[in-house]
Every structure is written in C-alpha cells, then in structure tokens.
C-alpha cells in the first residue's frame, strides 16, 4: 500500500484547500495513505514562533514514504522551504512533486503564467478598446510574477502601446497595497488609466476597494482584472474578471504523476497541464453575474470565523484555569466539539527522553512520543502509550488508506508534540482549528512553566485559595464546577451544588468587631471543609457566601452532608463559648442534562434564601 506525504502551509486558504483536496480525492480513490503536514505560517512578529511553525518538517520519517507532494510556495516561514528541500534530498527515497514553484531538483507541476496574462491584456485592448493599461505586478523575486510582468510588457509592445514608469507597480500579492498602487498610477500629471491588470485577485480586490473610496467607478471609469479566481473575487461587486486555475485538478495530477513514476512510466511535468479559463465579468464591463455557490461558501466561512472569534476569548480564559494535562484536554474537548471530525489524537514528546543526556535541541522532537489523548465527537479518552515518532502513531491507530492532517503543538520554538486529525470535512477546520491548537499549546507552555518552577506553582495554588479562611475561593470553585459540568456533558454524570450563606455576620461585626466576624467565617469554613466529603469541594465565593460542589448522583448523600454540617454548627455553638451563635442558611439543587449549570446555581440560591427569610440568628438567647 502506497503512502504519500504532503507539505503545505496555511492549508485552509483557498488555493491550499483546493490543491490539498485534489491530492486527498485521488489518494482516497486509489486507496493510498496520505499524511498532510500543515503549518499555519509565521503570523507572529516573534521570530521564534516561525521556528516553531517550521518544526512540522521534523516530525515525519521521510524515508518511509513512497512519494512526497510539496506546495512549495505556501511555506512562507523564512528559510523553511530551503530546510525542507535539503531534508528531502538527504532522507527521502522517493519522487518529490513540487507544485507551482519550479525546482530543478524535483518533478514540477507549474501554472501557465504567460499566455493567460497576454490574453487578458488583449481582451482589454480588442474588446474594450483600452489603450492605457496599467499593471500591478507581484513580488519581484518570484518567477511567476516575473513571467506575468513580461507577458504584459510583450503584449503592450506588440500592439504598439507605450508603457511608462508609473504604469507598473510592484506589489506583494496581498490586499494591503491598493491605495499605494493607485497613488503610483495616478501620480500628478499621469492620465487616468482605462484598465488595471493585476497579477492576482487579492491585489485586484484592493484596487477595486481603493477606487471605490475615491469615487472612481469600476468598470465605467477604470476596468480591473485579477488572476486565480478566488471566492472573494467571484462575490465582489462588481464581480471580478479573473483567470481561473483548476488547482483541485493540479492536486489530482500530482498523485497521477507519482503513479506513473512508481510504474516506471514517463511523468508529464512542467507548464501547461493544468486547466486555465479566463472569466470575464463585471469589473471589465462584461457579465455582471455573481457566483451563487461562492456566496454560500463565503457565508459559511463567515460563520466559521465568527464562531472562532466567539470561542477564542472564552477558550483562552478556560485554558488558563487548567492546572493539569487532563483538565486541559477537558477544556480542549469542549471547544473543538463544533468541528466535524472522526478522531483527534494528541501526541506529546517523551519528557524523560527530553531531559536525558540525548535531550533534543530546538525544533526537534523526541525519538519516542507518547499518545496522551484520543478525542472523538462523543468522547475523550486518556492514553499513555509510548511509540516511535517515525511511526507517527501507535500501531493500533495506524490504518492503511487513511488521510491524516498533522499540525504541531508549539509555543514559540518550544515544541511539545503534535496533533493528528482524521476528518472528511477539512474545510471545517479553516479558522477554529488554528485557534484551538495555538490555545492548547499556550496552555501546555504554562503547565510546563508551573512544573519547572515550584514557587510559581505554589503561587498558582494560592491564587485559588481564599486568603482569610484558607479554603478554595470563587475562581477555584468555578474550575470545579466547569470540570463537573464537562463530565456531565460527556458521561451524563449529574452532580449537586449546595449554596451556604452565613447568617448574622453584620450583627457580629457591629457588636463584637470585625476580627470576631473573621473568626466566625473561619469557623464556618472549617466546618464546610470538614464535611465536604471525598466527593465534594467547599469554597468561599463572597463575603459571607459559600458553595459546595458535590460530585455525587445521590440526593440522599447530599442531604446527609447538609445534616452533618448543621450538627457541627450546633456543636460549635455548644462548645465555643462565643457571645453569639454561628448560623447558616443552606439550599441545594441538582444539575443534570436537563438543567443548565446557571439554572442549577440560581435554584440552589433560591432554596437557600427561602430558608434564610425571617431568620434573626447571631445574638445568643439570654
């Protein structure tokens, strides 16, 4: 059974999604295994973050693959492409297919860049009668940008049309230079262009936006075109004239090329094999139609982005409260449940091996890894299974013909391990998965810091303790409640919340002083802690307010615990010799799958206040 590795950066961007989808589609059709190694790019200003993203290339055993597909121009971490290709030359024993980036060391599938731009420029000249046509080029260092610029220059020359300095702007293939490019094209004394041909769609969209802000109509005053036909181009108003490249077919061709090479047949490579179609739309004055399917997909991605933004802030807070790997995974499981997937496996470096004499260097992984967790849509299963990293997963979890998506877990250049995702819906991962992995990695970094620095760990414990009484505080109770609520959702294990309010604290403070009031609070806290039992945790959640979380499904046990608390309060009053009576009002509620946590807390408070009404305790009877 053949096994293919694919390396791609920012897999969920449109080109990467299409080409990866094509590789996956053909691999699945042929029954091949496919391992997609994805990084999210150097989006942080910290250079060490880029090193961590690059570390994805050190995970696989390259010698174990029958073929490699390399989306070379998507690996935008500085030096990553050069490091990966050097590794491939040294370690790979198989053909390597490089997509959209010419590399004489490997087989190449390239996009035709010259003819589509020539045809687009001629379209403006012959169909729309344009004579002054400006060109927004890509990065000077990229060969495809150089070829597209040459096609523009040659076509203008062939038609006898002059090209001046201010008719060419060298952009960056992104949508943040529209205003700067227009300033260049419309410099003082320069006539208004009739058309602007852009070397890709993102730059074309930025030009259209900048023209709109200046009150210049597209296409009535200036026509615009792009290259790639991304979804954003198809739903813009007016819809963007562009050049559509069938990148999904490029991915399929890469697998077919590997098949030919495996079977000793000649591989068809180079330029011209990928289907390219010119799409003349509203931005040049042709068809005004909008792609309905693209609109639907765009709204779907918008919803995904909104979900990712909504969950990210609360997820980071909840992850920050995780004080163990197990609690971290519980939080992670809750926040990844909105993504459709079959399995997610969390593989961590072997810490004993990392700390040994042969400890790993920056960006490297241990020779052995530990499978620590397996998540499905329905359950979260702890593991502790050691295996060789070159095998990627333990034997029980390796299946032939499976498609795996692998991403690294790192915080800056500190690599903790990797996650392996198995899903039939990789587009669902577009936004939220990146947020999820970065959040989990940051939480892992904090756990490691606490582990390495005992003083900080003790400080963290103090952070969850009430300074006066010494029992857990509100923050610690929130963590306990969240943990129990997660168990409820995952395993259906209900639990109880007990609300306790000390009676008459103001009377004690007013008549006997605040120091005595503090002693009364500590006495009640001690009773609650002593009677919380093995299944409970008691906390001071406010001035005279306490809560107990009881991890039991037995109402009888809860009532027995409350009865024990009342007995201890009576005993305190009999033996303490205090000039006041200690008293507390108590109410409880059950939290199950039919009762949300907030409703449970409110019901426990209502039951407590029902008992409290009319109480006038604290003064000892004379």
């Amino acid at each position: 059974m053949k096994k293919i590795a694919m390396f791609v950066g920012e897999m969920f961007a449109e080109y990467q999604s299409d080409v990866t989808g094509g590789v996956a589609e053909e691999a699945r059709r042929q029954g091949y295994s496919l391992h997609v190694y994805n990084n999210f790019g150097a989006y942080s200003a910290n250079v060490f973050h880029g090193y961590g993203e690059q570390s994805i290339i050190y995970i696989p055993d390259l010698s174990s693959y029958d073929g490699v597909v390399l989306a070379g121009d998507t690996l935008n971490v500085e030096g990553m492409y050069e490091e990966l290709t050097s590794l491939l030359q040294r370690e790979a024993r198989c053909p390597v297919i490089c997509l959209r980036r010419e590399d004489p060391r490997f087989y190449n599938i390239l996009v035709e860049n010259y003819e589509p731009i020539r045809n687009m420029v001629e379209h403006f000249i012959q169909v729309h009668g344009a004579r002054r046509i400006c060109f927004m080029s890509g990065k000077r260092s990229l060969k495809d940008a150089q070829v597209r610029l040459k096609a523009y220059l040659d076509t203008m020359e062939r038609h006898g049309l002059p090209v001046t300095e201010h008719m060419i702007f060298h952009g960056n293939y992104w949508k943040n230079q529209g205003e700067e490019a227009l300033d260049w094209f419309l410099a003082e004394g320069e006539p208004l262009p009739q058309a602007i041909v852009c070397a890709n769609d993102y730059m074309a969209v930025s030009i259209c936006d900048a023209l709109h802000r200046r009150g210049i109509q597209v296409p009535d005053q200036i026509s615009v075109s792009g290259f790639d036909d991304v979804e954003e181009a198809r739903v813009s108003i007016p819809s963007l004239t562009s050049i559509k490249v069938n990148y999904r077919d490029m991915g399929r061709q890469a697998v077919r090329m590997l098949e030919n090479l495996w079977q000793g047949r000649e591989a068809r490579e180079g330029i011209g094999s990928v289907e390219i179609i010119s799409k003349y739309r509203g931005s040049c004055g042709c068809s005004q139609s909008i792609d309905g399917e693209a609109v639907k997909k765009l709204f779907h991605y918008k919803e995904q982005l909104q979900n990712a933004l909504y969950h990210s802030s609360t997820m980071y807070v909840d992850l920050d409260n995780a004080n163990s790997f197990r609690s971290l995974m519980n939080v992670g499981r809750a926040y990844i449940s909105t993504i459709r997937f079959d399995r997610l496996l969390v593989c961590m470096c072997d810490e004993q091996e990392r700390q040994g004499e042969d400890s790993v260097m920056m960006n490297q992984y241990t020779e052995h890894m530990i499978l620590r967790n397996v998540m499905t849509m329905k359950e979260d299963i702890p593991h502790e299974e050691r295996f060789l990293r070159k095998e990627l997963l333990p034997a029980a979890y390796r299946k032939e013909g499976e498609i795996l998506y692998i991403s690294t877990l790192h915080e800056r250049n500190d690599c903790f391990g990797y996650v392996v995702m198995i899903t039939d819906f990789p587009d669902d991962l577009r936004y939220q998965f990146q947020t999820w992995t970065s959040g989990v990695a940051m939480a892992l970094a904090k756990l490691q810091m606490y582990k390495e620095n005992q003083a900080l760990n003790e400080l963290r414990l103090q952070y969850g303790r009430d300074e006066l009484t010494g029992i857990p505080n509100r923050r610690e109770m929130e963590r306990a409640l969240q943990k129990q609520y997660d168990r409820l959702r995952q395993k259906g294990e209900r639990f109880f919340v007990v609300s306790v309010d000390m009676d008459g604290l103001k009377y004690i403070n007013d008549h006997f002083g605040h120091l005595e009031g503090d002693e009364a609070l500590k006495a009640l806290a001690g009773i609650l802690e002593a009677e919380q039992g093995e299944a409970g945790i008691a906390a001071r959640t406010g001035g005279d307010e306490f809560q107990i979380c009881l991890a039991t499904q037995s109402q009888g046990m809860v009532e027995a615990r409350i009865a024990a608390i009342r007995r201890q309060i009576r005993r305190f009053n009999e033996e303490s010799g205090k000039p006041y009576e200690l008293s507390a009002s108590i109410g409880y509620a059950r939290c199950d799958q039919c009762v949300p946590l907030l409703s449970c807390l409110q019901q426990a408070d209502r039951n407590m206040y029902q008992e409290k009404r009319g109480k006038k305790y604290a003064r000892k009877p004379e």
Side-chain angles (χ1 to χ4, degrees):
M1 179 65 66
K2 299 295 184 183
K3 186 170 68 170
I4 302 170
M6 181 175 184
F7 292 90
V8 58
E10 300 177 275
M11 186 185 79
F12 311 116
E14 187 168 353
Y15 157 67
Q16 292 92 313
S17 178
D18 283 349
V19 76
T20 303
V23 173
E25 180 182 309
E26 189 65 19
R28 184 179 289 108
R29 191 176 71 84
Q30 298 293 345
Y32 303 146
S33 296
L34 174 65
H35 300 166
V36 181
Y37 294 92
N38 165 67
N39 80 322
F40 296 113
Y43 54 85
S44 171
N46 189 305
V47 65
F48 292 102
H49 180 87
Y51 294 154
E53 286 293 298
Q54 178 176 308
S55 71
I56 190 76
I57 67 179
Y58 303 115
I59 293 174
D61 173 17
L62 296 174
S63 65
S64 69
Y65 289 96
D66 301 291
V68 173
V69 178
L70 180 59
D73 63 342
T74 70
L75 305 174
N76 61 8
V77 176
E78 185 176 357
M80 182 175 180
Y81 179 80
E82 291 73 18
E83 176 70 8
L84 174 57
T85 52
S86 295
L87 282 173
L88 288 168
Q89 284 192 295
R90 291 197 307 269
E91 299 178 11
R93 306 289 183 263
C94 63
V96 177
I97 314 297
C98 193
L99 305 179
R100 216 171 65 164
R101 178 168 180 166
E102 189 170 10
D103 191 324
R105 297 171 294 178
F106 309 122
Y107 297 93
N108 299 276
I109 300 179
L110 307 174
V111 173
E112 170 60 63
N113 290 294
Y114 188 93
E115 185 177 344
I117 292 293
R118 182 197 66 193
N119 292 341
M120 186 61 69
V121 176
E122 288 194 337
H123 175 77
F124 282 116
I125 295 170
Q126 296 172 354
V127 176
H128 299 288
R131 291 296 178 265
R132 183 171 176 81
I133 303 172
C134 294
F135 189 74
M136 189 170 181
S137 183
K139 297 178 182 178
R140 296 173 188 265
S141 60
L142 296 180
K143 187 169 183 179
D144 61 347
Q146 297 167 8
V147 173
R148 293 176 191 184
L149 175 58
K150 186 177 188 306
Y152 160 75
L153 291 170
D154 288 351
T155 308
M156 294 291 282
E157 181 181 10
R158 186 161 53 251
H159 286 272
L161 300 175
V163 176
T164 63
E165 179 187 6
H166 279 270
M167 292 174 67
I168 299 174
F169 179 85
H170 291 275
N172 60 1
Y173 275 155
W174 192 233
K175 45 190 174 186
N176 59 354
Q177 290 185 302
E179 294 288 350
E180 185 182 351
L182 278 189
D183 286 342
W184 181 257
F185 294 142
L186 306 178
E188 187 175 354
E190 294 292 324
L192 198 70
Q194 295 167 292
I196 300 174
V197 175
C198 300
N200 84 341
D201 284 347
Y202 293 125
M203 295 191 299
V205 168
S206 75
I207 287 288
C208 290
D209 289 344
L211 287 169
H212 176 74
R213 284 191 291 271
R214 299 185 189 202
I216 301 174
Q217 300 299 312
V218 178
D220 297 342
Q221 293 172 271
I222 298 178
S223 299
V224 180
S225 72
F227 195 117
D228 286 334
D229 197 34
V230 300
E231 286 160 358
E232 191 172 343
R234 302 198 292 274
V235 300
S236 61
I237 299 176
S239 52
L240 185 66
T241 289
S242 188
I243 297 162
K244 181 177 179 60
V245 182
N246 192 338
Y247 289 121
R248 186 168 286 270
D249 188 54
M250 175 185 276
R252 288 190 288 261
Q253 286 190 41
V255 179
R256 293 173 192 150
M257 182 182 289
L258 287 173
E259 290 174 332
N260 286 334
L261 292 167
W262 293 333
Q263 295 171 17
R265 296 196 295 264
E266 183 179 353
R268 182 189 175 192
E269 63 168 326
I271 301 172
S273 60
V274 181
E275 180 186 29
I276 295 178
I277 304 171
S278 296
K279 296 287 187 178
Y280 302 117
R281 301 193 181 102
S283 70
C284 72
C286 292
S287 172
Q288 290 288 346
S289 63
I290 294 178
D291 189 328
E293 284 302 313
V295 172
K296 289 180 183 178
K297 190 175 287 188
L298 195 65
F299 273 99
H300 174 64
Y301 291 150
K302 179 186 175 185
E303 288 179 356
Q304 284 187 320
L305 180 58
Q306 287 176 326
N307 284 335
L309 291 172
Y310 174 76
H311 285 106
S312 61
S313 58
T314 54
M315 182 183 72
Y316 285 129
V317 172
D318 290 345
L319 285 171
D320 188 57
N321 288 330
N323 54 16
S324 67
F325 182 83
R326 186 74 255 130
S327 61
L328 190 159
M329 288 293 104
N330 286 337
V331 174
R333 171 69 181 78
Y335 280 96
I336 205 167
S337 59
T338 58
I339 299 174
R340 292 179 292 178
F341 66 95
D342 295 322
R343 277 176 290 152
L344 185 148
L345 303 98
V346 180
C347 305
M348 303 294 292
C349 289
D350 186 326
E351 287 304 315
Q352 290 185 344
E353 193 172 299
R354 185 190 288 274
Q355 295 166 10
E357 292 183 2
D358 299 324
S359 64
V360 296
M361 301 298 291
M362 183 175 68
N363 294 334
Q364 305 265 332
Y365 294 81
T366 49
E367 181 181 359
H368 290 86
M369 303 293 293
I370 311 293
L371 175 63
R372 297 288 304 277
N373 205 78
V374 178
M375 295 183 189
T376 69
M377 293 291 290
K378 296 182 178 179
E379 58 183 347
D380 180 24
I381 309 169
H383 277 260
E384 197 69 29
E385 189 168 351
R386 194 167 186 258
F387 63 96
L388 284 168
R389 174 175 50 83
K390 68 179 182 180
E391 295 173 346
L392 193 62
L393 290 171
Y397 291 93
R398 296 196 304 271
K399 295 182 181 179
E400 291 187 345
E402 211 162 36
I403 297 174
L404 310 179
Y405 300 92
I406 302 100
S407 299
T408 183
L409 284 173
H410 73 95
E411 204 278 323
R412 290 185 290 183
N413 60 302
D414 195 356
C415 301
F416 307 110
Y418 53 84
V419 294
V420 178
M421 175 73 82
I422 302 165
T423 177
D424 292 329
F425 307 97
D427 280 353
D428 279 11
L429 313 180
R430 178 169 286 204
Y431 300 111
Q432 197 162 341
F433 189 58
Q434 180 175 354
T435 301
W436 188 89
T437 54
S438 62
V440 168
M442 288 175 61
L444 287 168
K446 289 181 180 179
L447 287 180
Q448 179 171 293
M449 179 181 68
Y450 296 139
K451 183 178 180 180
E452 292 174 353
N453 193 321
Q454 188 61 37
L456 280 176
N457 199 28
E458 291 174 0
L459 183 63
R460 179 177 173 84
L461 291 174
Q462 292 173 14
Y463 179 75
R465 291 277 159 178
D466 177 57
E467 185 176 356
L468 174 66
T469 64
I471 68 172
N473 59 18
R474 185 184 193 92
R475 288 183 289 269
E476 191 67 24
M477 176 54 71
E478 287 175 352
R479 282 194 285 266
L481 289 171
Q482 183 64 55
K483 180 179 178 180
Q484 287 303 130
Y485 196 60
D486 289 340
R487 291 178 65 86
L488 169 65
R489 289 187 296 180
Q490 294 170 19
K491 299 183 179 181
E493 295 180 3
R494 66 187 185 184
F495 61 98
F496 287 81
V497 174
V498 180
S499 183
V500 181
D501 197 271
M502 182 175 170
D503 300 320
L505 178 60
K506 185 177 185 303
Y507 174 84
I508 298 173
N509 287 334
D510 290 347
H511 289 78
F512 308 105
H514 286 272
L515 289 178
E516 195 61 55
D518 289 348
E519 290 301 315
L521 286 168
K522 287 191 282 187
L524 179 57
I527 291 170
L528 297 180
E529 185 175 41
E531 298 300 335
Q532 67 188 17
E534 294 182 1
I537 176 172
R540 184 186 178 203
T541 56
D544 56 1
E545 300 168 355
F546 299 81
Q547 276 182 346
I548 306 173
C549 177
L550 290 170
T552 177
Q553 303 195 51
S554 168
Q555 183 173 334
M557 179 181 288
V558 177
E559 292 176 346
R561 296 258 65 85
I562 293 173
I565 291 169
R566 297 190 194 280
R567 286 196 301 272
Q568 291 301 325
I569 290 174
R570 287 196 297 271
R571 179 177 296 177
F572 174 86
N573 289 329
E574 292 168 359
E575 300 175 355
S576 69
K578 298 290 185 183
Y580 56 83
E581 282 195 340
L582 190 65
S583 176
S585 299
I586 305 174
Y588 71 89
R590 183 182 67 196
C591 190
D592 57 32
Q593 290 179 326
C594 299
V595 181
L597 178 58
L598 181 59
S599 299
C600 176
L601 296 172
Q602 291 171 337
Q603 185 60 51
D605 279 346
R606 283 195 293 268
N607 292 341
M608 179 271 294
Y609 280 116
Q610 184 175 353
E611 179 180 304
K612 192 177 187 71
R613 290 188 191 99
K615 270 189 173 183
K616 296 294 181 182
Y617 287 108
R619 186 193 302 269
K620 264 197 172 180
E622 295 181 2

